[in-house]
Amino acid sequence: MNLSQRLVNWARVKSPWITLFNSGACNGCDIEVIDALTPRFDIERFGILAQGSPRHADILIVTGPVTAKQASRLKRIYEQMPEPKYVIAMGACGATGGVFRGLYHVVDGVENVIPVDAFVAGCPPRPDEIINGVVACLGLLKEDLAHGGKEWRRKKEPAPPPAPAAKPVEVHA
Amino acid sequence: MSVLKEMFENLTHKPATILYPKEKVPIPPAFRGRIAIRDEKCIGCSKCAVVCPTQCITMVANERPVEVKGKTITRKKKPEVELFACIRCGLCEEYCPTDPKAIYLTNEFSGAGTDKGVVVK
Amino acid sequence: MSAAPVTLTLDQVKAALGDLGTVEQVRSNRIKVHSTIPKVREAILRAQSLLACDHVVQIAAADNGKTLELLYHLTGAHRMVVVLAIEIPRDKPEVPTASDLLPPAGIYERQIHDLLGITFRGHPALKRIILNEDWPEGEYPLRKDWKPDPTHFYGGVREEAK
Amino acid sequence: MAEVIVPVGPQHPALKEPVNFKVVADGETIVRLELDVSYNHRGIEKAAESRDFVRVVPLLERVCGICSHSHTTVFTKGIEEAMKLTIPPRAQYIRTIVAELERMHSHLLWLGVAAHEVGFNTLFMWTWRDREAVQDMLEEMTGNRVNYGTNEVGGVRRDLTPEQIQAALKRLPKLEERLAKYAEMVNAEETMLLRFKGVGHLTKEQALQLGAVGPTARASGVDYDIRRDDPYIAYADIPWKVITDTHGDVYGRTLVRVGELQQSLEMIRYCLQNLPAGPIRTAPPRAAPRAEILTRYEAPRGELVHFIRTNNTDKVERLDIRTPTLANWTSVAVSLVNQNLADIPVIVAAIDPCLSCTSRITVVNPKGRHVGEMTWDELSEHGREFYRRRGRR
Amino acid sequence: MDPILLAVYILVFPGFVFLLGYAFLFEFLDRKIYARMQNRVGPPLVQPFADFVKMLGKEVIDPKGVDRRAFDVAPILALAAVMTAFLYVPVVASSPLAFQGDLVVVLYLMTIPTIVLFLLGWLSRNVYATIGGVRAVTQMFIYEVPFYLAMLAPALMAGAAGGWSVSGIVAWQQHNLWFAVYQPIGLVVAIIGLQAKLERTPFDIPEAETEIVAGPTTELTGRRLALMKLTTDVSLVVGSALVAALFLGGPLLPWTFSPNWLGWTVGFVVFLAKTLAVLLVLSSIKAATGRIRIDQLNDIGWKYLASAAVLQVFLALLMNYYLVGANA
């Protein structure tokens, strides 16, 4: 690895800019992410800035179980981001759909739409848990840089099964 | 002008920031955190799995004799929790009939990870 | 803090709306009028002009099994909630719109149209609004007899062209 | 500059929640707009019909993360009315304490967001810093910062210990001091006044006609507060007063919210000091008798209505949620026309939209109101075209 | 001047290398002061540099239908313009490149980033970017007149001795009082104009995050964004240095120091102190205000700023006639 590459790698870890996308969450996670920006937690000390345009961001934080309507938008936002890009799914909803699992208008978790790199558990996670999540994502970034890409993680498991066109919905009594 | 005054006061005072990884943000005793299971207390009644709003608790086969109200019976199942689906509402703890609770919420963080399939046993 | 004095009485409502349906008091501050589809606009107009109901609280919609039901909840400075309930036949779910009488009703009606499939005649823009664009036509998730059809696409991300 | 369509959202930095306005602007002036707020529709009303009263409460709590307590209180209060339960006063007081704390956190959040919308980030940071005190109180009392999990049918789930009450009382004086400071700042900060005064104006007649609720209506002089007009939980026993204002613009809404912050603080102090002793819950029957309940609640954003039908089972037959944001959208659409493009965020923020709550429609119909001639069809076609172009990139 | 020394001056110190480093330091200080005023900690020292390097290493996306070459060239043009402008601003002593009338050139070069922003917005074919670009130019037409008038008033007063050159005006102030004393109104107008030129609150109308995402830079990615951000930082340095030079006497003190190196060191320290003071003022304005609307800016700009600037020019001419004229 030459010097300029090392420099860029160092900078990537030092300057992760985030953009927030609410894919149908209850706002709880969104508030807590924004709360992490404010004086009590102030994630700018890690170099994290919240960006409005997905074009400027490195990490996409997705909150919410992904409603049917937001799924296509989420995918588009993800595609607009420049490489290397990372995705954090926030809260129980982001991971599995949480309390909305199986409802007729949600697709149950971010992973059914776009690849997710890190999950943060909680409903909602506290801001310090969110910081832990971002740190976990940065750790992943470092490992990826050492492996020269994200592929090393994907190979371990077979490709995730494509989301079914129609999914089972909660049965009504 | 009150804004200017406060701005320059802030400049000379210590910031309100808690330097999180170095300093810990106080966690109140009531905090509902990561779910935990005391397997030795569980009697396999399935109440937690029934009441869970996200249905993240599944009862898996695990036969073992347990003592309930002085009698010894054989429990058939024990709970397992999908950590990343848990919303930390505490209903399972509330409905758990044992003392101390066999399933309960701790004061710790639930954590973050790359694998959402983490199961709490 | 004491409640605002309730000045609207059951008798007043009976006098104003008695010929449009049966009137009953269901709670200390809620009077229900069972009306019918052709009379509902007249009832809203009279509630506005005679009973000073200038605020629409909610248009609730429910599926009763045999029929669908709409409940217009109106209130005014007197703080008594007047409910105009109408039953709508399932096979021909059509009612005249109230959006020209009550501006906020436009929103509620579109929502009800989307979720329960009630058509509001005369509504200027009764289009899909709450479900996603790919939702199949003619399926109304809040109806009791609705079940998702596994062969239909209900939204999310479509798989790439096969 | 010709007319352009500015899509605002669904992902947009001004709105932390998904909403889409297609704003048709002529230069910088808004000509007409369409709102689409259903990105968060998850189907909660349907799901509520299939979950029993215990499991439905956490679901309703997550209708909205900002007014989580409002949704559970209004629901449990409705079910309790159907069951004809009498709730112990201690439970009612605890519900009131949490409800008013929630109002405080929501209004402080709003004040910060409104400041952020006009680019005044310093105030945003300060209000959110002070909001942490409220969040700490809530977390100490309930165990979570957002979804408190306080309510259940029949009472509350957690009691307050004397230590918790003392800790909360200790935090109040500092908060009170800060609130006084904000009340002063709101009136003294020039750039904020420039951006708030005369913006998004609604007359009293308009507010009534368009069905505005909550601080939006009260800022236009409509004296309408469910806490007084249809008192619930402990509001009938507590001294407080309704805050109204006559400005009718964003500035008026700010004044109302700051006034309510101070009222809420007093209410919390009163409730903490006069917390009645006794049990915190009554055992509810398993099923609710057949009933039809319209239950109303003054959420931080305005009147929240749940229409509940029960049918002798342990589930609701129908739950129809009308959120305050939904009621306020009509007024937003009207007050936006002829305003400057730069005012969209602040006007929209002024009603404190809670789109997760709304999670359903909204489109204000362009005809009938003086919003414009463009039909929804044309507009949505434009919007779709725009997104198609964006998507192809 | 020795050509080697001149090359060092242009390329290393106090030329480009120093300028870039100082620009990063400026952004850091700006963000840090802003954060501390908001009662938080703020970014670490290397943050702006890390941001820059990271953005350089990111993927460059070409939005569909956009002229790639123009998108590549425009940020470089903007950066080159402001960096060139810095060469005429005295840092340790008078600039060796100074010539008569270089003040006009500097002001002209500082306008180029705004034009580039407009071009980028226009080329982006994105609604937010277009609106941002149009706003940038609209705003330019408002603040440019009072800003130029305020900046040129010192030149008027320095007269032939100043030679309409930044270095000349600095030299003039060595023997007289600072222009901040003669022209306090001009200083205020210049600082407000500079804030508007740099598109900082309350004049961040073209890139109002909550209204139009990131304005003209919405569609920029990778190195293009990095260069545009760097341009903003460099403009901040050049603007502060220019205000320090024109109104606060630049790097020179009323005394001259005997060995050249000592004079340069002192000059450099004085330069740092003065530019940082200007930065503190700019950051305080940024922290203490919210964003105003473009129509309100129009109002304020033409009604108050422009008339204040005209008044200042008039006063300068009067003073020229009675005070300075008498001395000279």
Side-chain angles (χ1 to χ4, degrees):
Chain A
M1 207 187 296
N2 58 17
L3 186 69
S4 72
Q5 190 57 45
R6 292 234 303 266
L7 189 67
V8 169
N9 290 354
W10 164 82
R12 271 180 196 155
V13 178
K14 283 285 172 198
S15 156
W17 288 0
I18 58 168
T19 189
L20 182 62
F21 183 75
N22 180 332
S23 63
C26 72
N27 286 344
C29 294
D30 304 61
I31 300 170
E32 297 296 84
V33 172
I34 298 164
D35 206 295
L37 299 171
T38 56
R40 178 78 168 281
F41 296 97
D42 185 31
I43 49 177
E44 200 184 349
R45 41 202 176 97
F46 307 112
I48 302 174
L49 279 186
Q51 291 291 319
S53 168
R55 290 245 192 258
H56 300 181
D58 307 302
I59 298 180
L60 175 67
I61 295 188
V62 190
T63 61
V66 190
T67 60
K69 200 165 180 170
Q70 285 285 64
S72 51
R73 274 94 176 165
L74 173 60
K75 200 163 173 104
R76 205 169 301 142
I77 294 274
Y78 178 71
E79 281 160 4
Q80 280 187 9
M81 286 172 62
E83 288 285 352
K85 52 192 171 189
Y86 284 78
V87 178
I88 299 179
M90 197 58 72
C93 295
T96 62
V99 78
F100 308 111
R101 184 147 61 163
L103 302 195
Y104 65 80
H105 213 251
V106 298
V107 301
D108 290 355
V110 181
E111 212 166 36
N112 293 334
V113 183
I114 54 173
V116 177
D117 297 292
F119 297 93
V120 182
C123 187
R126 265 169 62 128
D128 25 3
E129 295 187 83
I130 293 172
I131 294 175
N132 287 351
V134 176
V135 168
C137 189
L138 291 181
L140 209 62
L141 198 155
K142 275 185 216 159
E143 279 187 54
D144 282 359
L145 291 172
H147 287 79
K150 292 183 187 177
E151 280 66 36
W152 68 279
R153 280 186 279 141
R154 303 268 154 70
K155 272 178 202 155
K156 281 197 298 191
E157 50 193 326
K167 57 193 185 48
V169 169
E170 211 166 281
V171 183
H172 304 289
Chain B
M1 283 305 111
S2 55
V3 175
L4 274 182
K5 186 165 163 274
E6 199 178 330
M7 265 164 41
F8 287 106
E9 272 172 22
N10 283 341
L11 212 50
T12 52
H13 286 64
K14 216 170 147 276
T17 311
I18 297 174
L19 302 168
Y20 166 61
K22 277 184 233 148
E23 303 166 25
K24 294 289 179 233
V25 182
I27 300 176
F31 177 67
R32 285 176 277 142
R34 185 189 176 103
I35 196 160
I37 295 170
R38 273 191 200 100
D39 191 39
E40 72 280 6
K41 283 287 162 193
C42 177
I43 56 169
C45 69
S46 300
K47 272 186 180 162
C48 50
V50 170
V51 81
C52 179
T54 65
Q55 294 171 340
C56 66
I57 305 177
T58 42
M59 301 303 288
V60 296
N62 182 310
E63 216 159 293
R64 187 165 72 71
V66 288
E67 205 167 289
V68 182
K69 290 175 189 158
K71 283 181 283 182
T72 305
I73 54 165
T74 309
R75 87 165 183 195
K76 296 259 163 52
K77 292 177 279 186
K78 68 163 205 165
E80 277 189 359
V81 186
E82 255 182 88
L83 178 67
F84 281 90
C86 173
I87 57 168
R88 316 199 286 205
C89 63
L91 281 175
C92 47
E93 182 176 0
E94 205 169 306
Y95 280 77
C96 184
T98 66
D99 182 36
K101 304 283 185 188
I103 186 165
Y104 62 103
L105 297 178
T106 60
N107 255 344
E108 287 150 27
F109 290 161
S110 294
T114 52
D115 179 18
K116 70 173 181 182
V118 178
V119 173
V120 176
K121 289 178 187 170
Chain C
M1 202 89 212
S2 63
V6 176
T7 51
L8 194 68
T9 61
L10 183 62
D11 291 335
Q12 278 174 298
V13 179
K14 268 189 180 153
L17 302 174
D19 56 329
L20 299 177
T22 52
V23 183
E24 59 169 330
Q25 182 130 20
V26 289
R27 191 175 181 256
S28 65
N29 66 349
R30 191 158 171 254
I31 294 173
K32 193 170 178 183
V33 182
H34 296 273
S35 188
T36 55
I37 297 175
K39 292 177 184 166
V40 65
R41 278 180 65 91
E42 175 67 20
I44 293 171
L45 274 175
R46 280 199 214 166
Q48 279 179 321
S49 56
L50 303 176
L51 305 176
C53 290
D54 49 10
H55 179 87
V56 53
V57 175
Q58 182 188 23
I59 301 180
D63 184 353
N64 289 346
K66 289 193 191 71
T67 55
L68 303 173
E69 192 174 0
L70 276 187
L71 300 103
Y72 297 77
H73 292 87
L74 308 173
T75 190
H78 44 70
R79 304 302 179 228
M80 175 69 87
V81 180
V82 177
V83 193
L84 305 168
I86 51 173
E87 299 221 345
I88 299 159
R90 242 191 144 75
D91 46 355
K92 190 173 169 288
E94 263 189 38
V95 283
T97 180
S99 58
D100 50 339
L101 308 176
L102 308 160
I107 297 177
Y108 305 138
E109 288 181 352
R110 295 191 63 161
Q111 171 188 336
I112 293 164
H113 171 71
D114 222 12
L115 294 175
L116 275 159
I118 297 173
T119 307
F120 292 88
R121 252 181 290 115
H123 192 293
L126 203 62
K127 287 280 160 57
R128 165 107 42 241
I129 186 162
I130 178 161
L131 301 170
N132 66 318
E133 304 86 347
D134 295 337
W135 194 267
E137 286 296 321
E139 292 205 25
Y140 305 108
L142 280 189
R143 287 199 183 183
K144 292 279 180 199
D145 54 3
W146 178 77
K147 290 258 173 0
D149 183 337
T151 61
H152 284 179
F153 178 73
Y154 289 100
V157 178
R158 260 181 218 277
E159 288 172 54
E160 299 305 315
K162 286 172 198 161
Chain D
M1 193 170 166
E3 288 188 349
V4 285
I5 296 176
V6 188
V8 180
Q11 196 264 4
H12 191 270
L15 314 148
K16 304 306 176 197
E17 302 155 84
V19 58
N20 184 6
F21 318 124
K22 285 163 196 129
V23 179
V24 185
D26 181 4
E28 289 266 332
T29 310
I30 299 163
V31 181
R32 52 190 171 243
L33 79 159
E34 283 287 339
L35 304 167
D36 183 355
V37 213
S38 60
Y39 293 93
N40 271 8
H41 178 74
R42 289 153 289 184
I44 288 172
E45 294 176 358
K46 184 85 176 176
E49 294 171 8
S50 64
R51 298 189 183 181
D52 63 28
F53 295 145
V54 176
R55 293 200 299 140
V56 80
V57 173
L59 174 72
L60 291 177
E61 194 160 45
R62 284 156 183 82
V63 169
C64 167
I66 306 180
C67 29
S68 55
H69 186 73
S70 310
H71 280 278
T72 56
T73 310
V74 69
F75 178 77
T76 50
K77 155 172 112 76
I79 297 294
E80 283 152 11
E81 192 181 320
M83 290 174 173
K84 300 189 174 61
L85 289 180
T86 315
I87 306 304
R90 190 175 175 88
Q92 301 285 44
Y93 268 69
I94 292 175
R95 280 182 184 177
T96 313
I97 291 168
V98 177
E100 290 306 316
L101 278 173
E102 179 183 87
R103 192 182 314 277
M104 284 190 77
H105 109 69
S106 175
H107 281 358
L108 278 172
L109 178 147
W110 178 85
L111 190 58
V113 169
H116 174 68
E117 304 299 11
V118 298
F120 192 7
N121 279 332
T122 307
L123 185 61
F124 162 67
M125 292 289 177
W126 289 348
T127 48
W128 280 61
R129 177 195 64 198
D130 297 327
R131 179 176 161 274
E132 286 296 311
V134 182
Q135 294 282 296
D136 281 345
M137 274 191 255
L138 282 168
E139 197 177 22
E140 279 164 13
M141 288 178 190
T142 67
N144 195 307
R145 291 159 55 94
V146 172
N147 293 317
Y148 318 117
T150 302
N151 284 315
E152 64 177 4
V153 175
V156 292
R157 283 171 55 192
R158 283 174 199 80
D159 202 356
L160 290 186
T161 61
E163 296 83 57
Q164 280 172 331
I165 293 170
Q166 285 313 315
L169 279 173
K170 249 182 234 152
R171 286 181 196 273
L172 290 180
K174 173 89 180 124
L175 206 55
E176 195 169 17
E177 188 190 307
R178 295 297 308 171
L179 290 183
K181 214 158 206 171
Y182 291 133
E184 181 197 329
M185 255 178 225
V186 163
N187 278 313
E189 202 35 56
E190 275 302 322
T191 43
M192 262 173 91
L193 291 180
L194 270 177
R195 292 298 302 272
F196 283 2
K197 269 199 173 158
V199 169
H201 192 267
L202 272 187
T203 61
K204 185 173 180 181
E205 287 70 38
Q206 277 177 320
L208 280 170
Q209 195 203 4
L210 302 173
V213 294
T216 312
R218 287 196 286 276
S220 293
V222 181
D223 191 8
Y224 185 56
D225 194 320
I226 304 299
R227 288 177 289 176
R228 180 200 57 203
D229 299 336
D230 188 1
Y232 52 94
I233 48 180
Y235 287 114
D237 315 342
I238 306 173
W240 66 284
K241 62 176 191 285
V242 178
I243 307 283
T244 55
D245 194 82
T246 49
H247 282 90
D249 49 13
V250 179
Y251 175 64
R253 286 163 217 166
T254 316
L255 291 186
V256 167
R257 287 205 170 89
V258 172
E260 285 187 5
L261 275 171
Q262 288 166 329
Q263 287 291 322
S264 292
L265 192 124
E266 286 308 316
M267 277 194 243
I268 293 163
R269 181 173 287 154
Y270 180 90
C271 286
L272 286 171
Q273 283 167 348
N274 298 290
L275 192 63
I280 56 162
R281 70 180 75 168
T282 48
R286 212 182 132 265
R290 181 172 292 279
E292 178 190 294
I293 304 289
L294 180 83
T295 154
R296 300 193 284 165
Y297 179 99
E298 187 71 26
R301 292 159 176 70
E303 177 194 29
L304 168 68
V305 180
H306 279 204
F307 173 82
I308 302 169
R309 265 203 189 156
T310 52
N311 56 355
N312 288 324
T313 63
D314 61 349
K315 300 182 178 77
V316 291
E317 184 187 303
R318 170 82 174 112
L319 173 67
D320 198 338
I321 304 172
R322 200 281 275 143
T323 59
T325 307
L326 187 63
N328 276 333
W329 274 125
T330 322
S331 66
V332 168
V334 171
S335 52
L336 268 177
V337 172
N338 285 333
Q339 299 277 354
N340 194 296
L341 195 59
D343 283 333
I344 298 179
V346 68
I347 293 178
V348 172
I351 67 158
D352 201 356
C354 180
L355 303 159
S356 313
C357 283
T358 309
S359 79
R360 37 196 79 214
I361 51 172
T362 285
V363 159
V364 169
N365 103 52
K367 289 185 188 152
R369 310 240 50 80
H370 57 282
V371 178
E373 257 79 50
M374 198 160 193
T375 63
W376 167 244
D377 261 333
E378 292 173 78
L379 254 172
S380 58
E381 189 47 48
H382 273 288
R384 244 175 273 142
E385 189 53 44
F386 178 81
Y387 274 109
R388 212 172 292 143
R389 278 206 304 272
R390 253 169 91 126
R392 246 191 258 126
R393 283 176 195 163
Chain E
M1 208 175 190
D2 188 338
I4 296 174
L5 267 183
L6 192 64
V8 168
Y9 187 95
I10 293 177
L11 294 177
V12 184
F13 182 87
F16 295 153
V17 172
F18 164 72
L19 176 60
L20 294 183
Y22 201 43
F24 287 132
L25 179 72
F26 247 53
E27 194 201 335
F28 160 72
L29 284 174
D30 181 33
R31 276 166 69 176
K32 189 82 176 177
I33 294 171
Y34 190 54
R36 285 302 303 273
M37 284 179 170
Q38 292 171 347
N39 213 353
R40 51 196 182 92
V41 171
L45 178 62
V46 291
Q47 193 54 49
F49 181 63
D51 287 349
F52 178 72
V53 173
K54 179 209 70 180
M55 279 188 279
L56 279 184
K58 291 222 38 149
E59 182 192 0
V60 176
I61 297 177
D62 293 311
K64 199 177 153 61
V66 163
D67 186 351
R68 261 188 57 219
R69 234 168 300 161
F71 247 52
D72 276 336
V73 168
I76 297 173
L77 183 69
L79 184 61
V82 282
M83 283 175 77
T84 313
F86 190 68
L87 293 180
Y88 300 104
V89 180
V91 175
V92 290
S94 293
S95 164
L97 298 166
F99 59 91
Q100 217 170 32
D102 64 11
L103 175 60
V104 179
V105 175
V106 167
L107 289 178
Y108 164 75
L109 286 172
M110 280 188 72
T111 310
I112 289 185
T114 316
I115 307 280
V116 165
L117 269 186
F118 169 72
L119 276 178
L120 285 176
W122 198 253
L123 290 172
S124 284
R125 301 184 55 171
N126 170 310
V127 179
Y128 302 125
T130 312
I131 292 181
V134 171
R135 281 181 173 192
V137 159
T138 318
Q139 180 169 326
M140 189 181 86
F141 286 133
I142 299 167
Y143 67 73
E144 208 81 315
V145 172
F147 181 65
Y148 277 17
L149 284 177
M151 290 301 229
L152 294 179
L156 279 178
M157 211 162 151
W164 287 69
S165 150
V166 185
S167 302
I169 293 169
V170 169
W172 188 89
Q173 289 176 89
Q174 196 175 13
H175 311 297
N176 295 284
L177 286 173
W178 289 354
F179 277 112
V181 181
Y182 287 122
Q183 307 185 345
I185 309 176
L187 177 63
V188 171
V189 172
I191 284 190
I192 293 176
L194 184 62
Q195 189 85 343
K197 190 170 211 45
L198 299 171
E199 279 149 18
R200 294 151 62 82
T201 347
F203 309 111
D204 57 342
I205 304 167
E207 38 199 60
E209 197 210 7
T210 50
E211 290 156 25
I212 48 173
V213 189
T217 57
T218 304
E219 291 286 341
L220 297 189
T221 45
R223 59 172 185 274
R224 296 170 185 160
L225 184 65
L227 291 178
M228 271 328 273
K229 296 246 176 200
L230 186 60
T231 306
T232 317
D233 296 344
V234 173
S235 304
L236 186 58
V237 174
V238 177
S240 308
L242 203 57
V243 168
L246 293 185
F247 290 94
L248 304 175
L252 299 185
L253 288 173
W255 314 278
T256 40
F257 296 89
S258 54
N260 261 347
W261 64 265
L262 183 65
W264 289 347
T265 315
V266 171
F268 183 58
V269 171
V270 170
F271 169 83
L272 289 185
K274 284 175 180 171
T275 45
L276 291 178
V278 175
L279 176 72
L280 181 67
V281 174
L282 291 177
S283 297
S284 310
I285 297 177
K286 179 175 155 191
T289 52
R291 183 188 317 121
I292 57 174
R293 278 202 314 260
I294 194 118
D295 56 320
Q296 290 165 340
L297 173 67
N298 196 15
D299 221 42
I300 295 170
W302 285 110
K303 259 192 207 151
Y304 304 109
L305 284 186
S307 38
V310 168
L311 178 71
Q312 184 58 70
V313 169
F314 182 66
L315 288 177
L317 291 175
L318 274 186
M319 276 190 279
N320 242 358
Y321 191 75
Y322 288 107
L323 288 172
V324 188
N327 286 349

